[in-house]
Structure formats: C-alpha cells, structure tokens
Amino acid sequence: LEEKQLLDGRYRLQEVPGGRVALPVLEEKLDWLQLPQELPCELVWIQDPVSSRAARRQTPAQKLQDELQRLLGESWSEELERDVPHAWQRHGDLVLLSEDSFRAAPWEKLGPVLWETVASALGAQRLARRGRVLPDGMRSPSVTLLLGQDGWVEHVDNGIRYTFDVTKCMFSPGNITEKLRVASLPCSGEVLVDLYAGIGYFTLPYLVHAAAAFAHACEWNSHAVEALRRNLALNGVQDRCRVHHGDSRQVSSADRPRSLRPHTASPSPPLSFQLELRDVADRVNLGLIPSSEEGWPVACRVLKKGTGGVLHIHHNVETLPAPAPRQTLVLQAERGSSEGAGSDGEVQRPMEDSGKETLGARIRPEWQRWAEATAARIRGLLAELHGQPWRTSILHIEAVKSYAPHVHHLVLDLECRPTLP
C-alpha cells in the first residue's frame, strides 16, 4: 500500500521517550500495516499528538470532509462526497446547513453520531438544516433542528442585535446593503410605518441609526412578532415602536380605492389597522418581495394626507439579457467555440450582475419603466383616496441584489405630496 493510505495527515512525526520516532498511522488501517520483523516497532497511543502544518491550514470544509471520510471508512463514496456541504450559515454556536446536505440514504444509518461529528468539525454546538420556504404567504422557513435543544440565535448587523428562532423565522444576509442604506437616511423626527416588519430587519435601522421618532411595525407571523418584540428590547427602542400583529395588506371596504375593491367580501382586518394606522406616516417601508403591490393602498392611506411623505417600495424586476454585439458572435463562430466552453468542456455561463457591479450599474430601461409605472399607479391611488391631485417623484432606484437569473430585487424611493389648491 502507498504510504499516504496508511498515515494520518492530521498529525506529524514526533519524538517519543527513548529516542524513538512515532508515525501517525490511521487506526482503521492498523490491520493492513506490514513491517519487516527486523524493525523494532511497537504500537504507541499518544493522547495529544502534534498537528501537521497541513492540518493547521485546513479549511473547515476540508476538515469536515476528512472527519466524515474517517467516520465512514470503506463506505465512503463519490455520492456521499457530493452530499457534504462546502458552505453554510453560522449564527453563534449554531450552524445552518443547506437543504441539499446529507440527503443520501447511507447518512441516515449513522444516526446522532453524524451530527456530533459535523458539529465538532465545524466548531458548533448546534446544527440545523434548511429546507424550502413554505408556501404559506409568510415565507416561513422549513428548518429542521438536527442537534441542540432550541433554534434561538443572535446575529449582529451594523451594531444592531437581532435574535430569532432559525426554525421559525427567515434571516436574509443578502439585504445588508439596504439595511445600511436605510440606517443612513435622514429620518429625525419622522414617524415610520413598516408594513412587513418581520423580526425588525428595517424597523431597527430606522430607529437605532436613522433616528426615526416613532415606528409602527406591522407583522402577521406570530413567530416573527415574538422575535421583533425581543429585538426592540435588546436594542433599547421598545418605547419608540408599536407592534401591530395582523395582516397589514387588508384594509376595510371604506378605505380601499374602488379600483382595488374585491368582488367578494374579504375578512375584516384587525381593529388596530382600521382605526389607528391612518394619516400618521412621514415614511412607509414596503419590504416584501417578489412584490409589495398588495400593500400599496395601505401605504397610501397611512401617509399624512396634509404633507405626504416617502414610500420605499420593494419589488423584483425582470431584466432581459442584452443581445451580444455582432462582432462578438462572429469571433466566436470563427474560433469554433461553444458558449464560453472551458478546458474540460463544461459550459461556463456568465454570472448575473450582483454585489458591487449591480449597485454601481446604470439604471436599466426595465427598472426605469417599472419605477415610472409604479409612480403613476401610486399617484392614482392617492388621488382616488383623498379626492384631490397628488404628485409623485422618483427620488432613487436601488438595486439590492440579483434575486434570480435576470431578476433583480429593487427598491424605489418615491416621494408623494398633495398638490396645493
């Protein structure tokens, strides 16, 4: 056998008493070890072996794969290797694995020892695995707790503390750029209405950093409401926020513009929405994707009718890929190459714009058309609701991230003001 098949790469040669040298041999390969009888050898157990330089340079993903390979021994296969995750989310002592991790049948036979091994390799005390988002209208996560007693974790963004149960609530680290932007807005003395507050993703930056005077946070998911209340207290702003537990998209028939009234009766909204959230807001956050359109009538109603305010409207907008220049197509044809084929023949497709490239990109025609259509729609809703003309002005279009191929998560900052008689 090759030497590397016998030696444990995690440890290096080390001296032992008596002027001897110990070789780190894999325990499961001891039966395969065949040494000449003339060599004076004995089996020595070293309680604290010295790690090799290679082991000290190992990434967590490499360490995880090595530990699992040792656990499974001869049962290790390429199929199982594909099931080992290379990325995960870490929330304190809890690691959240991707939904495609450890799905092959052989993993189930290992039982709790599998999760204990994974947690040890990743330096975690608790493990959970993400599933698909449930189609319940609340974007509830389908998360299974694999190791540990509960899923409550704490996360810090821009000096703001968020606590939530990963098995009950979503947390999107991809929205950090928008949370930072919200934190920098000049909101001193303003009243905010956050129609889709969640655990406080945007409510808290408005209160903690943007100096909003007061916030009304609307949320219909009871698990998110529990986390939201905890987060307000954690950050010391509970006295400047009122939580409204209910579906903020619903408005009573009297308040709904005729163009949006349903043909059939719908359930009445919670009393707090009907009686209190009217003519109160200087600013309204509509942070729901793929579309916040159902909340537009409510947003129009809660704006101060005498002075108006600013709406922050989230939406996913499809951007069709631009056709390649003719010269590029000719060059590809002359070279006889397929679409970006790599040296191994695998097609290398260009990635969608994301991150800094998207944020610094020009405003694309599809984005501008969506913003203008939205501004016109809101202007019509406000005029119908208040019985007088309003003007709407596009202040800014922010590209938050690439949500899917050719689909971008955008935020429109729309100023809405009543027209003076």
Side-chain angles (χ1 to χ4, degrees), residues 164-412:
F164 58 99
D165 186 341
V166 295
T167 67
K168 301 290 193 301
C169 301
M170 294 284 292
F171 188 86
S172 178
N175 290 339
I176 180 62
T177 56
E178 179 62 9
K179 284 183 276 190
L180 290 171
R181 190 178 77 92
V182 161
S184 68
L185 293 174
C187 302
S188 178
E190 293 186 350
V191 174
L192 166 77
V193 172
D194 190 349
L195 289 181
Y196 310 100
I199 66 172
Y201 308 106
F202 299 113
T203 306
L204 288 167
Y206 275 113
L207 290 170
V208 175
H209 294 308
F214 195 83
H216 292 276
C218 308
E219 177 56 43
W220 69 346
N221 184 331
S222 58
H223 301 294
V225 167
E226 181 183 0
L228 173 60
R229 295 187 190 280
R230 293 191 187 193
N231 291 330
L232 292 167
L234 270 178
N235 293 278
V237 293
Q238 67 273 25
D239 293 337
R240 292 162 48 211
C241 182
R242 179 167 184 180
V243 178
H244 301 267
H245 184 189
D247 185 357
S248 64
R249 296 174 299 179
Q250 299 293 331
V251 294
S252 65
S253 299
D255 291 329
R256 185 185 295 272
R258 287 189 176 86
S259 60
L260 290 179
R261 291 183 189 177
H263 296 293
T264 58
S266 58
S268 297
L271 197 60
S272 60
F273 292 118
Q274 290 189 33
L275 298 181
E276 298 173 25
L277 291 189
R278 180 198 305 270
D279 186 24
V280 295
D282 301 290
R283 196 176 294 265
V284 184
N285 196 71
L286 296 111
L288 182 67
I289 54 174
S291 174
S292 61
E293 188 170 353
E294 286 187 87
W296 294 358
V298 183
C300 291
R301 191 192 69 194
V302 300
L303 276 179
K304 291 181 177 177
K305 62 181 180 181
T307 55
V310 177
L311 307 182
H312 299 280
I313 304 171
H314 291 236
H315 198 83
N316 282 352
V317 177
E318 184 176 6
T319 307
L320 297 177
R326 182 176 179 81
Q327 183 181 5
T328 303
L329 296 175
V330 171
L331 287 174
Q332 287 183 353
E334 288 175 353
R335 293 173 184 168
S337 63
S338 60
E339 180 189 1
S343 58
D344 58 356
E346 182 179 352
V347 174
Q348 304 294 323
R349 300 188 185 276
M351 294 181 63
E352 279 293 300
D353 294 335
S354 61
K356 293 181 180 178
E357 184 178 351
T358 296
L359 295 175
R362 61 181 176 81
I363 300 300
R364 303 183 183 185
E366 294 90 344
W367 302 357
Q368 186 67 32
R369 285 196 292 270
W370 165 75
E372 291 174 356
T374 300
R377 182 79 181 281
I378 295 293
R379 188 164 57 248
L381 290 175
L382 286 165
E384 186 176 350
L385 181 65
H386 297 292
Q388 69 177 81
W390 281 60
R391 59 180 175 84
T392 54
S393 306
I394 297 172
L395 300 178
H396 179 71
I397 301 172
E398 179 75 10
V400 179
K401 63 179 181 292
S402 179
Y403 185 82
H406 313 303
V407 177
H408 289 84
H409 174 183
L410 305 182
V411 181
L412 168 62

Side-chain angles (χ1 to χ4, degrees), residues 126-165:
R126 296 177 292 164
L127 282 180
R129 180 170 55 200
R130 187 171 53 240
R132 297 187 180 277
V133 176
L134 298 177
D136 58 0
M138 300 185 189
R139 290 187 58 78
S140 300
S142 174
V143 174
T144 303
L145 194 64
L146 305 171
L147 183 67
Q149 298 302 313
D150 69 80
W152 281 92
V153 299
E154 185 169 316
H155 190 81
V156 179
D157 263 352
N158 193 24
I160 297 174
R161 295 170 65 188
Y162 297 89
T163 185
F164 58 99
D165 186 341

Side-chain angles (χ1 to χ4, degrees), residues 58-68 70 83-98 101-102 113-129 146-147:
Q58 273 189 320
T59 65
Q62 291 169 334
K63 183 178 180 181
L64 173 61
Q65 182 165 313
D66 289 349
E67 292 288 347
L68 293 172
R70 274 187 286 274
D83 251 12
V84 178
H86 296 282
W88 46 82
Q89 288 184 15
R90 185 180 297 274
H91 301 285
D93 68 346
L94 185 146
V95 164
L96 182 59
L97 303 172
S98 59
S101 303
F102 305 111
V113 68
L114 168 63
W115 309 126
E116 292 168 1
T117 301
V118 173
S120 175
L122 300 182
Q125 299 296 319
R126 296 177 292 164
L127 282 180
R129 180 170 55 200
L146 305 171
L147 183 67

